[in-house]
Amino acid sequence: ALPGAAQQARRSPPPIPPQIRAQGSVQVAFAPWDGAEAMVVAAVKAARRQVLVQAYSFTSRALANALIAARRRGVEVRVPADREQTFGGESNRIPELVAAGIPVLLEVRYASAHNKVMVIDAGLGNQAVITGSYNWTWAAQNRNAENVLILRRNAEVAGAYAANWWRHAADALPYEVARNTLAAPAALPRQAREEMIEASP
């Protein structure tokens, strides 16, 4: 008998989320034909209060510079990223964000923290969500077939993405802790994670 498997078989499937009313505007880019990177950089430059980033692979110098510049002008910037991608390849820009004082968390709970998202100014009139297949990389713009959407002025969409961002942040580890351990988040002091999540930039 396999009680664990039987229990899984009896488990209800996840609920289908409700539809969100369409509003605001949508901007679409398809790489390599369109200037997807420039579109994302422009959106970051327009941020007034906050940029919440989810990153899988992050090698784009232009996007890293835009986030660092946003922080320097007083915008709150926070980044959870995939741990294996952060430490597994060359030219990763995450250490540059850390050096610039941007709070970085690393996700270790999942096989891949594969979200590529930015939530800009959730709750403000100019709020925007950036998402799609597009990684924050040079290759995404120059070598790959990718898509990226910017959904502007839709409070429900921005709120949903921001809530999901915080859910992931709560499970992630501070950059310095994750760099030195493979332990699951639950095995590390909760206070360390909470202090990183709540710290002001």
Side-chain angles (χ1 to χ4, degrees), residues 8-45:
Q8 177 124 13
R10 288 194 304 270
R11 187 179 302 160
S12 300
I16 297 174
Q19 294 187 24
I20 294 175
R21 184 168 61 92
Q23 58 182 317
S25 67
V26 180
Q27 189 175 15
V28 183
F30 300 100
W33 301 280
D34 301 327
E37 182 177 73
M39 185 175 81
V40 175
V41 166
V44 172
K45 286 181 176 179

Side-chain angles (χ1 to χ4, degrees), residues 30 36 77 94 126 160 167 200:
F30 300 100
V77 180
I94 294 295
N126 66 318
R167 175 167 55 188
S200 298

Side-chain angles (χ1 to χ4, degrees), residues 50-65:
Q50 184 184 69
V51 182
L52 303 177
V53 182
Q54 287 178 283
Y56 178 62
S57 182
F58 198 135
T59 65
S60 168
R61 185 184 301 276
L63 288 173
N65 289 343

